[in-house]
Amino acid sequence: MKLNNERLRAFYQAAIDRNFHRAADSLCISQSALSQRVMKLEQDIEATLFIRGNDGISLTSAGSVLFDYV
């Protein structure tokens, strides 16, 4: 399976920043666009990548594996 580079870049930046808003700013895209890219990547690989909470986001075990891959 070939993964979309824009989706992987969005995932990687969100994982680094631990915040969708900051990641979107870093990539010069809207937060909505970043969320859509991550959501589509999650659909592509059929796994949840982030745990979303009031204090930000954290990686799931599948997210950690993908982060190491990227």
Side-chain angles (χ1 to χ4, degrees), residues 24-44:
D25 285 347
S26 296
L27 294 170
C28 299
I29 60 174
S30 68
Q31 184 175 349
S32 175
L34 180 106
S35 295
Q36 288 294 317
R37 290 177 188 181
V38 170
M39 183 182 71
K40 288 179 182 177
L41 179 60
E42 289 177 325
Q43 291 172 348
D44 289 346

mmCIF file of all heavy atoms in Angstrom, residues 24-44:
data_model
loop_
_atom_site.group_PDB
_atom_site.id
_atom_site.type_symbol
_atom_site.label_atom_id
_atom_site.label_comp_id
_atom_site.label_asym_id
_atom_site.label_seq_id
_atom_site.Cartn_x
_atom_site.Cartn_y
_atom_site.Cartn_z
ATOM 1 N N ALA A 24 -1.180 22.664 12.002
ATOM 2 C CA ALA A 24 -1.746 23.310 10.816
ATOM 3 C C ALA A 24 -1.001 24.607 10.507
ATOM 4 O O ALA A 24 -0.672 24.882 9.339
ATOM 5 C CB ALA A 24 -3.232 23.582 11.025
ATOM 6 N N ASP A 25 -0.714 25.388 11.528
ATOM 7 C CA ASP A 25 0.057 26.620 11.337
ATOM 8 C C ASP A 25 1.440 26.314 10.763
ATOM 9 O O ASP A 25 1.907 27.004 9.858
ATOM 10 C CB ASP A 25 0.203 27.396 12.644
ATOM 11 C CG ASP A 25 -1.063 28.111 13.061
ATOM 12 O OD1 ASP A 25 -2.001 28.219 12.235
ATOM 13 O OD2 ASP A 25 -1.121 28.563 14.224
ATOM 14 N N SER A 26 2.083 25.291 11.273
ATOM 15 C CA SER A 26 3.416 24.916 10.789
ATOM 16 C C SER A 26 3.400 24.522 9.318
ATOM 17 O O SER A 26 4.363 24.775 8.594
ATOM 18 C CB SER A 26 3.970 23.742 11.607
ATOM 19 O OG SER A 26 4.164 24.098 12.945
ATOM 20 N N LEU A 27 2.306 23.900 8.892
ATOM 21 C CA LEU A 27 2.186 23.448 7.502
ATOM 22 C C LEU A 27 1.522 24.478 6.597
ATOM 23 O O LEU A 27 1.357 24.240 5.401
ATOM 24 C CB LEU A 27 1.385 22.140 7.454
ATOM 25 C CG LEU A 27 2.045 20.935 8.123
ATOM 26 C CD1 LEU A 27 1.058 19.776 8.216
ATOM 27 C CD2 LEU A 27 3.302 20.524 7.385
ATOM 28 N N CYS A 28 1.123 25.608 7.188
ATOM 29 C CA CYS A 28 0.444 26.685 6.441
ATOM 30 C C CYS A 28 -0.838 26.196 5.769
ATOM 31 O O CYS A 28 -1.116 26.498 4.602
ATOM 32 C CB CYS A 28 1.390 27.313 5.408
ATOM 33 S SG CYS A 28 2.849 28.060 6.133
ATOM 34 N N ILE A 29 -1.617 25.417 6.527
ATOM 35 C CA ILE A 29 -2.923 24.959 6.071
ATOM 36 C C ILE A 29 -3.912 25.216 7.198
ATOM 37 O O ILE A 29 -3.526 25.510 8.327
ATOM 38 C CB ILE A 29 -2.931 23.465 5.678
ATOM 39 C CG1 ILE A 29 -2.547 22.566 6.864
ATOM 40 C CG2 ILE A 29 -2.014 23.215 4.482
ATOM 41 C CD1 ILE A 29 -2.660 21.073 6.594
ATOM 42 N N SER A 30 -5.196 25.093 6.905
ATOM 43 C CA SER A 30 -6.200 25.284 7.947
ATOM 44 C C SER A 30 -6.246 24.060 8.859
ATOM 45 O O SER A 30 -5.823 22.955 8.478
ATOM 46 C CB SER A 30 -7.580 25.510 7.318
ATOM 47 O OG SER A 30 -8.030 24.323 6.694
ATOM 48 N N GLN A 31 -6.749 24.264 10.049
ATOM 49 C CA GLN A 31 -6.882 23.150 10.982
ATOM 50 C C GLN A 31 -7.844 22.107 10.411
ATOM 51 O O GLN A 31 -7.645 20.909 10.580
ATOM 52 C CB GLN A 31 -7.367 23.648 12.339
ATOM 53 C CG GLN A 31 -7.442 22.546 13.382
ATOM 54 C CD GLN A 31 -7.818 23.061 14.757
ATOM 55 O OE1 GLN A 31 -7.836 24.256 15.001
ATOM 56 N NE2 GLN A 31 -8.122 22.153 15.644
ATOM 57 N N SER A 32 -8.861 22.573 9.711
ATOM 58 C CA SER A 32 -9.813 21.664 9.088
ATOM 59 C C SER A 32 -9.134 20.777 8.047
ATOM 60 O O SER A 32 -9.391 19.571 7.988
ATOM 61 C CB SER A 32 -10.947 22.469 8.443
ATOM 62 O OG SER A 32 -11.820 21.623 7.749
ATOM 63 N N ALA A 33 -8.263 21.378 7.228
ATOM 64 C CA ALA A 33 -7.541 20.609 6.209
ATOM 65 C C ALA A 33 -6.637 19.569 6.861
ATOM 66 O O ALA A 33 -6.551 18.419 6.403
ATOM 67 C CB ALA A 33 -6.728 21.537 5.316
ATOM 68 N N LEU A 34 -5.974 19.952 7.942
ATOM 69 C CA LEU A 34 -5.108 19.019 8.647
ATOM 70 C C LEU A 34 -5.936 17.869 9.220
ATOM 71 O O LEU A 34 -5.573 16.695 9.068
ATOM 72 C CB LEU A 34 -4.346 19.721 9.773
ATOM 73 C CG LEU A 34 -3.426 18.767 10.516
ATOM 74 C CD1 LEU A 34 -1.985 19.018 10.130
ATOM 75 C CD2 LEU A 34 -3.614 18.877 11.987
ATOM 76 N N SER A 35 -7.045 18.181 9.845
ATOM 77 C CA SER A 35 -7.911 17.154 10.419
ATOM 78 C C SER A 35 -8.411 16.191 9.351
ATOM 79 O O SER A 35 -8.451 14.980 9.572
ATOM 80 C CB SER A 35 -9.105 17.789 11.130
ATOM 81 O OG SER A 35 -8.687 18.533 12.243
ATOM 82 N N GLN A 36 -8.778 16.731 8.194
ATOM 83 C CA GLN A 36 -9.248 15.889 7.095
ATOM 84 C C GLN A 36 -8.146 14.948 6.608
ATOM 85 O O GLN A 36 -8.397 13.776 6.333
ATOM 86 C CB GLN A 36 -9.744 16.745 5.921
ATOM 87 C CG GLN A 36 -11.054 17.431 6.186
ATOM 88 C CD GLN A 36 -12.200 16.450 6.334
ATOM 89 O OE1 GLN A 36 -12.312 15.490 5.581
ATOM 90 N NE2 GLN A 36 -13.040 16.667 7.327
ATOM 91 N N ARG A 37 -6.931 15.452 6.501
ATOM 92 C CA ARG A 37 -5.813 14.616 6.052
ATOM 93 C C ARG A 37 -5.546 13.485 7.034
ATOM 94 O O ARG A 37 -5.333 12.341 6.637
ATOM 95 C CB ARG A 37 -4.558 15.458 5.847
ATOM 96 C CG ARG A 37 -4.664 16.376 4.648
ATOM 97 C CD ARG A 37 -3.454 17.261 4.497
ATOM 98 N NE ARG A 37 -3.677 18.246 3.450
ATOM 99 C CZ ARG A 37 -2.800 19.143 3.062
ATOM 100 N NH1 ARG A 37 -1.606 19.203 3.644
ATOM 101 N NH2 ARG A 37 -3.081 19.991 2.106
ATOM 102 N N VAL A 38 -5.560 13.815 8.314
ATOM 103 C CA VAL A 38 -5.326 12.785 9.328
ATOM 104 C C VAL A 38 -6.472 11.769 9.319
ATOM 105 O O VAL A 38 -6.234 10.566 9.375
ATOM 106 C CB VAL A 38 -5.139 13.417 10.728
ATOM 107 C CG1 VAL A 38 -5.144 12.353 11.810
ATOM 108 C CG2 VAL A 38 -3.850 14.228 10.770
ATOM 109 N N MET A 39 -7.705 12.250 9.210
ATOM 110 C CA MET A 39 -8.851 11.360 9.189
ATOM 111 C C MET A 39 -8.777 10.402 7.994
ATOM 112 O O MET A 39 -9.020 9.199 8.124
ATOM 113 C CB MET A 39 -10.151 12.161 9.133
ATOM 114 C CG MET A 39 -11.400 11.296 9.189
ATOM 115 S SD MET A 39 -12.930 12.239 9.056
ATOM 116 C CE MET A 39 -12.867 12.716 7.331
ATOM 117 N N LYS A 40 -8.403 10.923 6.832
ATOM 118 C CA LYS A 40 -8.294 10.078 5.636
ATOM 119 C C LYS A 40 -7.164 9.071 5.776
ATOM 120 O O LYS A 40 -7.283 7.927 5.330
ATOM 121 C CB LYS A 40 -8.126 10.939 4.389
ATOM 122 C CG LYS A 40 -9.409 11.657 4.027
ATOM 123 C CD LYS A 40 -9.251 12.543 2.811
ATOM 124 C CE LYS A 40 -10.559 13.270 2.519
ATOM 125 N NZ LYS A 40 -10.437 14.184 1.392
ATOM 126 N N LEU A 41 -6.065 9.476 6.411
ATOM 127 C CA LEU A 41 -4.970 8.542 6.654
ATOM 128 C C LEU A 41 -5.442 7.428 7.595
ATOM 129 O O LEU A 41 -5.139 6.248 7.365
ATOM 130 C CB LEU A 41 -3.760 9.271 7.240
ATOM 131 C CG LEU A 41 -2.536 8.417 7.561
ATOM 132 C CD1 LEU A 41 -2.002 7.735 6.310
ATOM 133 C CD2 LEU A 41 -1.457 9.273 8.205
ATOM 134 N N GLU A 42 -6.186 7.799 8.632
ATOM 135 C CA GLU A 42 -6.727 6.797 9.543
ATOM 136 C C GLU A 42 -7.646 5.825 8.801
ATOM 137 O O GLU A 42 -7.608 4.611 9.047
ATOM 138 C CB GLU A 42 -7.480 7.468 10.702
ATOM 139 C CG GLU A 42 -6.569 8.175 11.678
ATOM 140 C CD GLU A 42 -7.313 8.905 12.778
ATOM 141 O OE1 GLU A 42 -8.423 9.446 12.522
ATOM 142 O OE2 GLU A 42 -6.779 8.954 13.903
ATOM 143 N N GLN A 43 -8.431 6.332 7.867
ATOM 144 C CA GLN A 43 -9.298 5.467 7.064
ATOM 145 C C GLN A 43 -8.462 4.566 6.153
ATOM 146 O O GLN A 43 -8.775 3.381 6.010
ATOM 147 C CB GLN A 43 -10.270 6.305 6.231
ATOM 148 C CG GLN A 43 -11.321 7.002 7.046
ATOM 149 C CD GLN A 43 -12.154 7.977 6.243
ATOM 150 O OE1 GLN A 43 -11.830 8.324 5.104
ATOM 151 N NE2 GLN A 43 -13.245 8.454 6.836
ATOM 152 N N ASP A 44 -7.413 5.121 5.564
ATOM 153 C CA ASP A 44 -6.549 4.347 4.667
ATOM 154 C C ASP A 44 -5.933 3.141 5.374
ATOM 155 O O ASP A 44 -5.873 2.055 4.804
ATOM 156 C CB ASP A 44 -5.416 5.205 4.097
ATOM 157 C CG ASP A 44 -5.879 6.243 3.091
ATOM 158 O OD1 ASP A 44 -7.035 6.148 2.612
ATOM 159 O OD2 ASP A 44 -5.086 7.160 2.798
#
